[in-house]
Amino acid sequence: MIKKKRNFLKITGLSFLMAFLLPYKLLYSATKKIINQNLTDEQKDIMFNEATERPYTSTLNYENREGFFHCANCGAKLFSSKAKFDSGTGWPSFTESLPGAFKTKIDYSLGMKRVEYHCANCGVHHGHVFANGLSKKRFCNNGLCLIFKPDNN
Ligand SMILES: [Zn+2]
């Protein structure tokens, strides 16, 4: 009886430890969920597997109207058109996000240290943020993760 109890403690102790040892990435992916049921396979691959769309494929590269860019999964407002600029990289780029729009994590894939960012509301991957010059930032966003809504006036 006592032995059984010890084993039980050992197992629960171990799973308790495992919960803390789980890589952050696993915990983080558990927070992501499909909200927009109409997402394409390509969108899902980017949002949930952190794939990257081919450069110069997004029509949002050429979007110059006033308005806001929203998360294509949950609809959260992420960027103002005022922060958008032509970076020449082939992906929609922004100097800043709306406050609290994203959360970040360090990404060591591709053998380099990059700062990954994801929607603070639904958790899906959007892109990477880079230092751009002395003080400016560049949010490099997959166009497929964004929906643009122009101002009505
Ligand atoms: Zn979202």
Side-chain angles (χ1 to χ4, degrees):
M1 191 65 183
I2 286 170
K3 201 177 175 196
K4 250 188 191 167
K5 199 175 176 188
R6 264 194 199 142
N7 271 339
F8 174 74
L9 282 176
K10 211 189 257 176
I11 290 164
T12 49
L14 196 68
S15 36
F16 189 67
L17 199 66
M18 286 294 283
F20 282 97
L21 291 178
L22 264 181
Y24 174 69
K25 198 170 175 175
L26 274 183
L27 288 172
Y28 151 67
S29 45
T31 64
K32 291 188 271 192
K33 50 187 174 290
I34 296 175
I35 294 168
N36 176 1
Q37 299 297 329
N38 299 318
L39 292 176
T40 64
D41 287 344
E42 200 180 0
Q43 283 177 308
K44 285 182 203 165
D45 200 28
I46 297 166
M47 291 176 171
F48 295 89
N49 301 325
E50 297 183 22
T52 302
E53 74 190 9
R54 281 187 300 117
Y56 302 103
T57 54
S58 173
T59 54
L60 293 182
N61 279 310
Y62 317 104
E63 179 57 69
N64 293 316
R65 287 173 291 171
E66 298 268 299
F68 288 94
F69 294 82
H70 298 249
C71 177
N73 185 37
C74 74
K77 223 185 228 189
L78 305 173
F79 296 107
S80 160
S81 59
K82 291 183 176 71
K84 190 172 185 289
F85 70 104
D86 184 4
S87 65
T89 58
W91 291 282
S93 297
F94 304 85
T95 53
E96 60 179 6
S97 65
L98 294 175
F102 294 114
K103 289 180 178 170
T104 60
K105 71 174 168 64
I106 305 298
D107 175 7
Y108 289 101
S109 65
L110 302 183
M112 54 180 157
K113 185 179 169 182
R114 294 181 297 167
V115 179
E116 183 274 351
Y117 64 89
H118 47 274
C119 177
N121 186 49
C122 72
V124 300
H125 172 71
H126 272 264
H128 291 87
V129 60
F130 300 94
N132 191 41
L134 283 177
S135 57
K136 271 188 172 178
K137 281 180 179 172
R138 181 171 69 87
F139 287 80
C140 184
N141 213 104
N142 287 283
L144 286 172
C145 300
L146 295 172
I147 290 173
F148 178 69
K149 293 184 184 170
D151 284 345
N152 290 326
N153 44 3

